[in-house]
């Protein structure tokens, strides 16, 4: 099935949902400190989404088995879908917090990396290169570009830094449905894959490992970890393809990329 094209009314709702998701990441930053548990971070985000934003945390009860929490917290060698729990964060931990807010029936999905105290130089570099992978992908988004172009630039940049790209999980179309077509893989060949059209909304969310690309799922049926226990990083944005380029629906003010990129 091909991607859905959003109407102007739907696009406005995607803007609202995207902004709310980005605001959750802004809000939670000061709480990510040594000694806090990811369960506490989950509760703060849950209450903020529900009580302040009037939204719904999409992960809660999503899928089968139902995801038990409202955000994903993926620490160190966890690639994605980490379940918030009672383990305390410690100095040097790195973690991805992935937030998806539903507002007025539409989804905004975004994640960023946080560090606790002082991370290693290696961890810092992995985090930076992974964000650059996301940005390089976003910079290619415009009508006529193809999904393989995006995957290719991400894969090439990761490999140049001797990192690997997780293949089992990918970006996705998004709208009234959390995960819809197309699949946006973070590897590929230029000039292949679906062609981008104005009004498409999808995520790019590269998962980059310091070691090998292979992953496994823990017995909780959600937590995805690197097989070799190497560190993993991820960043995610929800995007709208415009007539001239891209609008980052989950953009935050602390970023070095513009919210709107106009290629004409
Ligand atoms: N937010 C994740 C994504 O980027 C999906 C999480 S599904 C959950 O697609 F159930 F684990 F929350
Ligand atoms: Co996503
Ligand atoms: Co997400």
């Amino acid at each position: 099935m091909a991607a859905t094209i959003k109407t102007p009314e739907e696009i406005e709702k995607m803007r609202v949902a995207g902004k709310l998701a980005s605001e959750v990441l802004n809000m939670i930053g000061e709480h990510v400190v040594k000694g806090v548990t990811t369960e506490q971070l989950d509760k703060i985000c849950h209450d903020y989404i529900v009580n302040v934003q009037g939204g719904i945390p999409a992960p809660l009860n999503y899928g089968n088995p139902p995801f038990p929490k409202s955000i994903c917290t993926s620490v160190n060698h966890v690639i994605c879908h980490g379940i918030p729990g009672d383990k305390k964060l410690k100095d040097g931990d790195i973690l991805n917090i992935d937030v998806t807010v539903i507002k007025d029936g539409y989804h905004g999905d975004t994640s960023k990396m946080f560090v606790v105290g002082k991370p290693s130089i290696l961890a810092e570099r992995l985090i930076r290169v992974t964000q650059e992978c996301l940005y390089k992908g976003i910079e290619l988004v415009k009508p006529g570009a193809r999904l393989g172009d995006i995957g290719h630039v991400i894969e090439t940049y990761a490999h140049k830094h001797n990192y690997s790209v997780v293949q089992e999980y990918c970006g996705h179309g998004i709208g009234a449905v959390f995960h819809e077509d197309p699949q946006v893989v973070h590897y590929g060949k230029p000039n292949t894959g679906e062609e981008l059209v104005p009004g498409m909304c999808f995520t790019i969310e590269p998962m980059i490992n310091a070691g090998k690309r292979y992953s496994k799922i823990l017995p909780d049926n959600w937590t995805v970890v690197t097989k070799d226990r190497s560190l993993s990083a991820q960043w995610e944005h929800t995007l709208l393809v415009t007539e001239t380029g891209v609008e980052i629906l989950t953009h935050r003010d602390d970023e070095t990329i513009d919210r709107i990129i106009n290629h004409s």
Side-chain angles (χ1 to χ4, degrees):
M1 214 186 74
T4 63
I5 305 305
K6 270 68 182 175
T7 66
E9 293 74 26
E10 288 182 294
I11 289 170
E12 199 43 49
K13 291 178 184 180
M14 289 297 291
R15 279 197 186 99
V16 172
K19 181 156 191 290
L20 293 178
S22 75
E23 286 170 354
V24 176
L25 291 180
N26 286 336
M27 177 279 298
I28 201 62
E30 65 175 286
H31 300 280
V32 182
V33 292
K34 186 172 114 181
V36 78
T37 68
T38 48
E39 217 155 45
Q40 290 171 317
L41 297 176
D42 175 74
K43 173 154 175 49
I44 297 166
C45 290
H46 175 95
D47 291 349
Y48 190 81
I49 293 166
V50 172
N51 300 326
V52 177
Q53 298 185 327
I56 300 167
L60 187 60
N61 295 316
Y62 181 79
N64 191 15
F67 192 79
K69 297 288 180 182
S70 295
I71 59 171
C72 296
T73 52
S74 301
V75 181
N76 294 335
H77 71 294
V78 179
I79 295 171
C80 64
H81 303 168
I83 302 174
D86 60 8
K87 236 180 91 188
K88 290 187 163 90
L89 293 177
K90 57 183 197 309
D91 218 18
D93 280 347
I94 65 168
L95 73 153
N96 175 278
I97 298 183
D98 193 337
V99 169
T100 311
V101 174
I102 309 172
K103 180 74 175 182
D104 211 356
Y106 285 79
H107 292 71
D109 186 9
T110 186
S111 78
K112 71 174 271 190
M113 294 300 295
F114 295 86
V115 302
V116 182
K118 185 107 192 82
S120 69
I121 300 284
L122 264 74
E124 243 162 17
R125 179 171 172 271
L126 174 67
I127 289 171
R128 175 178 52 80
V129 170
T130 303
Q131 187 178 38
E132 287 165 357
C133 283
L134 170 61
Y135 286 175
K136 283 182 180 293
I138 291 173
E139 280 160 9
L140 292 183
V141 174
K142 63 175 184 183
R146 300 176 69 173
L147 288 176
D149 303 340
I150 296 170
H152 179 74
V153 78
I154 291 171
E155 178 179 38
T156 303
Y157 193 70
H159 287 173
K160 187 175 115 183
H161 290 86
N162 273 316
Y163 295 145
S164 65
V165 178
V166 174
Q167 297 194 349
E168 294 86 353
Y169 305 88
C170 57
H172 49 92
I174 183 167
V177 172
F178 192 171
H179 297 106
E180 61 183 31
D181 281 341
Q183 291 198 37
V184 181
V185 299
H186 304 109
Y187 56 91
K189 293 198 193 334
N191 264 302
T192 66
E194 193 170 336
E195 197 174 296
L196 305 186
V197 175
M200 276 175 68
C201 289
F202 61 89
T203 72
I204 303 178
E205 48 184 297
M207 284 145 275
I208 306 296
N209 298 346
K212 297 203 189 320
R213 71 173 178 84
Y214 304 102
S215 68
K216 64 174 188 189
I217 302 177
L218 296 187
D220 64 25
N221 267 297
W222 274 106
T223 311
V224 180
V225 299
T226 54
K227 252 191 181 161
D228 62 7
R229 295 191 60 89
S230 63
L231 281 183
S232 187
Q234 180 179 29
W235 295 79
E236 174 177 28
H237 272 312
T238 298
L239 310 169
L240 165 70
V241 182
T242 65
E243 297 291 336
T244 54
V246 58
E247 182 175 332
I248 304 175
L249 299 175
T250 47
H251 185 270
R252 301 178 312 278
D253 287 341
D254 66 309
E255 297 191 77
T256 57
I257 192 169
D258 289 336
R259 196 179 71 83
I260 293 175
I261 302 176
N262 181 338
H263 289 285
S264 67

